[in-house]
Amino acid sequence: MDNLLKKISFTFIALTIILVLIIIYFSFSKTTITIFSNNKKFEINFAILAKETNEFQNVNIIPANFSETIEEEQDIFLAQGTNEEIKTQAIGKVTIFNLTSVNRHLIATTRLLSPDNILYRLKNNTFIPANEKTEAEVYADQPGKENEISKGVYFIIPGIQRQMQDKIYAQSYEAMTGGVKKNKAVTKENIEDAVNKLKEKILEKIQKQIDESLKYEKNNSIPSLIISEIVEIKKDAEIGEQKDEFSLGIKLKITSINFDKEKLLKIAKVKLLEKISPNQEFINPLQNFTYSIEQYNSKTKEAIIKVHLEGMSTLNAKSKILNKNKLIGLKKRELEEYFKQFDEIQKIEIKFSPSWITKTPTIKDHIEIKIK
């Protein structure tokens, strides 16, 4: 009888221990699967029609408003030099000395003569007080490089009495230059460059106005895109005409296109999502959302908008391939084989707990999935 009771007691204890171990196994067994997503960059480029319409459901059309203004700008531009050289009169400055006790007045065009018999003339009427000196502008009497003079040259004034020429004279302290210069003419490139500079100036002014408006409020009247068209060019010189400078002005027609930028982004997102598998999702925010004018028809008030959007994909945490029901009771090798078949996954790391566990738990809540 005692042996029977002992056997029953031992059996009960053994069953209790087994039950406790089973409870421990189910309660504390855990598998952590860390999945490294095979992230990829996707981009979408497409064209969409912008037009004045009440069609709000068509994903191939973006409703828009068009408005036109005329902007004008004018400026002076330098003509380009040519390879042709032309003779001009050298110019410079001299200091005129009056070493007498009488004030002297020299009229414009008064002659100044160098030791090499190069003749210069005063540009303006000049007054030189007694026993003083005065600086004056001069120019060569004849054009040409041969009439240029280096600094430090002594000039006599032939128009005054010979005995006074050592008391009233001039001297250069800087070189006389400009006896020859490149001929200048208005070129086709000159005209094109001037037009582009004025166009840039107008567009910069408009962009500045837009930026200022955006600082203070989200203004729905801010144009989404701007188109410019030159409607008139006015200039006072023709191509090939010899001039040092010319005046040019333009009239620029500015067309502002206003549409719902958020709606356009939503359309682009949908098109971008079509490029990835259901097992992927995009990491927010999406990148490089840009749009520009590809074509514009001013008569029909329609524009083709070129749109670009980029996004980085990652594994979707709600993907069917992560269904834990498919992962119950699998060994490490079986888990690796299962996830290896999916391109969306780069690699995995598996950790069983406690360490002696070799299979995933039969309770799916004890399986933890981390995505990196």
Side-chain angles (χ1 to χ4, degrees):
M1 187 69 176
D2 289 339
N3 289 334
L4 180 61
L5 290 173
K6 285 181 180 180
K7 286 182 180 181
I8 293 172
S9 297
F10 284 131
T11 301
F12 177 76
I13 291 170
L15 291 173
T16 302
I17 292 172
I18 291 171
L19 181 61
V20 169
L21 290 174
I22 291 173
I23 292 171
I24 291 172
Y25 172 78
F26 283 107
S27 299
F28 296 100
S29 65
K30 181 181 178 182
T31 301
T32 301
I33 304 170
T34 303
I35 298 175
F36 292 85
S37 175
N38 188 19
N39 294 352
K40 291 183 180 180
K41 180 181 176 181
F42 288 86
E43 63 179 42
I44 186 75
N45 293 286
F46 67 96
I48 189 169
L49 178 65
K51 62 181 292 187
E52 293 182 339
T53 178
N54 293 323
E55 286 187 69
F56 294 98
Q57 304 304 319
N58 192 334
V59 295
N60 296 313
I61 297 176
I62 185 82
N65 294 320
F66 296 79
S67 60
E68 295 178 353
T69 57
I70 297 293
E71 297 287 339
E72 296 185 50
E73 199 66 54
Q74 184 172 338
D75 209 341
I76 302 294
F77 300 90
L78 296 177
Q80 291 184 348
T82 66
N83 291 326
E84 180 186 356
E85 289 187 343
I86 58 174
K87 290 183 177 182
T88 57
Q89 290 168 301
I91 58 173
K93 292 180 180 180
V94 296
T95 300
I96 302 175
F97 294 86
N98 178 13
L99 304 182
T100 70
S101 58
V102 179
N103 295 335
R104 294 287 175 173
H105 293 269
L106 299 178
I107 65 171
T109 73
T110 295
R111 294 173 297 157
L112 306 177
L113 188 64
S114 77
D116 295 328
N117 290 319
I118 297 175
L119 187 64
Y120 272 73
R121 294 181 180 273
L122 284 178
K123 183 179 179 181
N124 304 303
N125 295 335
T126 305
F127 171 71
I128 314 102
N131 295 307
E132 292 288 345
K133 59 184 179 180
T134 300
E135 191 176 73
E137 293 182 348
V138 296
Y139 60 92
D141 184 61
Q142 297 297 322
K145 192 173 182 64
E146 63 274 14
N147 294 308
E148 293 181 350
I149 292 179
S150 60
K151 65 180 180 179
V153 174
Y154 176 91
F155 292 86
I156 65 168
I157 302 175
I160 63 175
Q161 298 174 341
R162 185 179 295 274
Q163 63 269 26
M164 300 293 292
Q165 289 179 359
D166 61 344
K167 294 180 176 59
I168 304 172
Y169 61 90
Q171 189 165 357
S172 65
Y173 290 95
E174 59 183 43
M176 310 287 186
T177 59
V180 65
K181 70 175 184 177
K182 294 282 187 182
N183 189 23
K184 290 186 177 181
V186 179
T187 65
K188 180 183 177 182
E189 291 76 16
N190 261 161
I191 300 296
E192 291 174 350
D193 185 57
V195 168
N196 289 333
K197 284 181 177 177
L198 292 181
K199 183 178 176 181
E200 278 182 26
K201 191 173 181 180
I202 292 173
L203 294 177
E204 283 177 4
K205 180 176 69 175
I206 291 173
Q207 188 59 52
K208 187 176 180 181
Q209 293 171 353
I210 292 172
D211 293 342
E212 286 296 319
S213 298
L214 289 172
K215 281 182 183 179
Y216 303 106
E217 60 179 336
K218 187 176 180 181
N219 193 333
N220 291 329
S221 65
I222 300 301
S224 304
L225 284 170
I226 290 175
I227 308 166
S228 62
E229 178 187 356
I230 297 171
V231 293
E232 186 179 3
I233 298 175
K234 290 183 179 180
K235 57 186 186 296
D236 66 354
E238 298 301 324
I239 294 174
E241 187 174 342
Q242 293 186 354
K243 295 186 77 171
D244 288 343
E245 60 183 26
F246 63 97
S247 172
L248 186 140
I250 65 170
K251 284 185 179 180
L252 202 64
K253 182 168 75 173
I254 303 295
T255 303
S256 299
I257 305 177
N258 198 326
F259 52 81
D260 189 337
K261 294 176 279 291
E262 290 300 320
K263 178 179 173 61
L264 184 62
L265 177 58
K266 287 178 181 178
I267 293 172
K269 283 181 180 179
V270 171
K271 291 182 178 293
L272 190 61
L273 281 169
E274 291 173 355
K275 300 194 73 172
I276 64 173
S277 75
N279 298 322
Q280 294 172 299
E281 63 181 353
F282 282 111
I283 301 171
N284 285 321
L286 297 175
Q287 301 172 334
N288 297 332
F289 174 52
T290 60
Y291 45 88
S292 58
I293 298 291
E294 192 170 66
Q295 294 178 22
Y296 172 62
N297 189 323
S298 59
K299 293 181 180 179
T300 61
K301 292 289 190 298
E302 292 180 350
I304 303 296
I305 311 297
K306 186 178 180 181
V307 185
H308 175 84
L309 180 64
E310 296 175 9
M312 187 67 69
S313 72
T314 189
L315 182 63
N316 190 336
K318 297 179 180 179
S319 170
K320 291 181 179 180
I321 66 176
L322 302 182
N323 187 343
K324 293 180 182 179
N325 291 325
K326 298 179 180 180
L327 308 178
I328 291 173
L330 298 183
K331 294 181 179 180
K332 181 179 180 180
R333 182 181 59 79
E334 292 172 324
L335 285 171
E336 290 173 340
E337 288 296 322
Y338 171 75
F339 286 112
K340 188 178 181 180
Q341 62 183 311
F342 302 110
D343 292 335
E344 294 86 356
I345 296 174
Q346 185 180 23
K347 65 176 182 177
I348 65 169
E349 291 179 357
I350 303 167
K351 183 179 179 181
F352 293 106
S353 178
S355 58
W356 45 267
I357 298 296
T358 60
K359 289 184 179 182
T360 55
T362 56
I363 302 175
K364 67 178 182 181
D365 290 340
H366 286 202
I367 300 173
E368 182 182 8
I369 298 176
K370 296 180 180 179
I371 300 176
K372 290 188 177 181

